[in-house]
Amino acid sequence: MSWNSRVDRVAPFRVMSLLEAAQAREAAGHDVIHLEVGEPDFATPEPVVTAGQAALAAGLTRYSPAAGLPALREAIAGHYAEHFGAEVDPRRILVTPGASGALLLASQLLVGSGDRVLMADPNYPCNRHFMALAGAEVDNVAVGPESGWQLDAELVERHWGDATRLAMLATPSNPTGHMLDASQLEAVAEAVADRSGHLLVDEIYQGLSYDLEPLSVASLSPDVFVVNSFSKYFGMTGWRLGWLLAPEAAVEPLTRLAQNVFLAAPTPAQHAALAAFTPQCREILEGRRAELGRRRDALLSGLARLGLAPSLPPQGAFYLWLDISRYSHDSQAFCQRLLEEENVAITPGVDFAVTGGERHVRIAFTTGIARLEEAVSRLERFLARQ
């Protein structure tokens, strides 16, 4: 049977099959330590859950406007003003079914057949796949410690071609956890603007930073497209809620797209998310950020003992990107053996990197320090046998 050829360009997300195998081992009675999926072990904050329950009890389950509840758009705009010094018109914010909904809208608006997109390699694979589904070609620009594992202005200038229409950044990034500071972001925005292109910034892990103050490109330019999510910092993964911040001129066509593609984001989730911006919830979230920072430091300390700590520690998100080339050049087989022999589940780098993924793995510090230390001990035993 014949399918749309664009679908063939969407690679499987290998971590999902590894997660399935890990869950099967767990069901068989093995003590599996899950460090593979980007979902911390924190429950959704209680104020959000309570607000969601109240919305359901009040019957607030009908469609919202395609761009989202006005009150939620205003709350997000207030979040930008309070924490990032960015004056954002709420009308520029479109609430979406997860950040994936925002990526879908942005990719469909900004690129088409024959266009080219610049992205850092490694990167979150779905970013590449959304662009491929829109018909664009992605130029995966290899990055490393020398550029802070980021697509910086110099790389944008070097790789921008006649058919390039868009550059996409992620800060903090998945899988490396590295960030661009304000001056670096501004330089990238200027380089893209000088070439009459568009800049799309993935800020899904915004707020989860440990060495740099959280920042948003929205405070630097009104012309940048920004994707964000309630899943990571706000702890609302299963509620499926995100947003897209767009330049004013793009709001009308994006709203038309939203009306036709998904109609609206889940209404109860939107009412629940209003509580995410309360002082009570903020206190909970900041406590979790501090805990994630402690987990990062504990994991870095353990990996340093094994000679595996990254040369450039992650500044945000909740991932470590590790070079395993001393032990393997097949990250998928490495992760499979680690699961089968030591019951530790981590993610093969081939999910994220077009170049070099076979020599890297991603570890998510999404469980408690005691479990992370146990995972390091199991990894040490495993490496001793390689």
Side-chain angles (χ1 to χ4, degrees):
M1 189 173 289
S2 176
W3 309 116
N4 186 330
S5 61
R6 291 179 183 174
V7 176
D8 293 334
R9 297 165 61 188
V10 178
F13 205 2
R14 296 170 183 86
V15 68
M16 300 313 293
S17 60
L18 191 135
L19 172 62
E20 185 177 352
Q23 290 171 335
R25 290 189 66 78
E26 211 164 29
H30 297 280
D31 176 28
V32 176
I33 302 177
H34 290 276
L35 308 177
E36 75 277 43
V37 180
E39 186 173 36
D41 55 346
F42 308 129
T44 297
E46 187 276 332
V48 174
V49 174
T50 299
Q53 291 170 333
L56 291 170
L60 299 175
T61 57
R62 295 183 178 274
Y63 295 131
S64 78
L69 293 173
L72 183 56
R73 297 165 78 190
E74 290 170 7
I76 295 169
H79 177 69
Y80 279 109
E82 180 179 358
H83 297 289
F84 309 110
E87 295 300 323
V88 172
D89 188 332
R91 292 175 297 180
R92 292 175 51 208
I93 296 165
L94 290 91
V95 180
T96 57
S100 297
L103 283 165
L104 175 63
L105 294 183
S107 61
Q108 292 299 313
L109 180 74
L110 296 175
V111 296
S113 181
D115 292 336
R116 305 195 75 87
V117 179
L118 294 185
M119 287 188 193
D121 184 27
N123 205 327
Y124 179 56
C126 297
N127 292 340
R128 298 192 298 268
H129 299 155
F130 272 112
M131 299 304 161
L133 286 172
E137 299 289 337
V138 175
D139 292 316
N140 297 289
V141 180
V143 297
E146 67 283 350
S147 66
W149 291 101
Q150 285 284 356
L151 185 66
D152 60 17
E154 189 275 328
L155 289 171
V156 168
E157 292 165 357
R158 190 194 315 170
H159 291 277
W160 196 278
D162 292 340
T164 308
R165 298 290 176 267
L166 175 69
M168 184 174 182
L169 310 176
T171 177
S173 69
N174 177 11
T176 73
H178 292 93
M179 299 173 62
L180 291 166
D181 63 27
S183 63
Q184 292 169 320
L185 270 174
E186 194 164 24
V188 172
E190 289 177 358
V192 172
D194 288 347
R195 288 155 180 79
S196 301
H198 297 292
L199 178 60
L200 175 61
V201 180
D202 169 352
E203 294 185 347
I204 291 169
Y205 294 91
Q206 181 193 55
L208 292 176
S209 59
Y210 314 110
D211 301 325
L212 300 173
E213 283 299 311
L215 73 150
S216 173
V217 71
S219 65
L220 305 175
S221 170
D223 300 320
V224 176
F225 292 80
V226 183
V227 172
N228 211 321
S229 173
F230 284 94
S231 290
K232 306 303 182 180
Y233 176 73
F234 296 101
M236 295 178 62
T237 49
W239 299 77
R240 306 314 304 133
L241 207 62
W243 72 84
L244 177 65
L245 172 61
E248 187 174 347
V251 170
E252 189 277 329
L254 285 169
T255 303
R256 275 191 282 120
L257 280 171
Q259 291 166 345
N260 284 275
V261 172
F262 48 71
L263 193 64
T267 301
Q270 293 188 64
H271 284 284
L274 287 167
F277 300 107
T278 62
Q280 180 188 5
C281 195
R282 180 77 179 183
E283 184 178 354
I284 294 169
L285 297 173
E286 283 299 292
R288 292 177 176 185
R289 177 166 75 115
E291 169 61 17
L292 286 169
R294 290 188 288 270
R295 292 178 180 186
R296 178 199 67 160
D297 294 344
L299 186 54
L300 285 171
S301 176
L303 292 170
R305 191 180 79 246
L306 306 185
L308 271 180
S311 60
L312 193 64
Q315 302 137 319
F318 33 70
Y319 307 114
L320 294 180
W321 183 244
L322 296 187
D323 184 342
I324 58 164
S325 56
R326 287 164 47 196
Y327 301 99
S328 176
H329 283 77
D330 185 343
S331 60
Q332 193 163 359
F334 180 93
C335 292
Q336 190 66 40
R337 292 198 311 271
L338 179 61
L339 175 62
E340 292 172 355
E341 297 177 25
E342 294 292 347
N343 293 304
V344 176
I346 61 176
T347 307
V350 288
D351 260 351
F352 303 96
V354 175
T355 302
E358 69 282 355
R359 304 190 312 274
H360 289 83
V361 297
R362 189 194 74 175
I363 297 181
F365 44 94
T366 49
T367 191
I369 289 176
R371 293 291 277 170
L372 292 173
E373 291 174 342
E374 171 62 20
V376 170
S377 296
R378 296 184 189 185
L379 178 61
E380 185 174 21
R381 286 200 305 263
F382 175 77
L383 295 178
R385 299 192 297 270
Q386 304 309 303

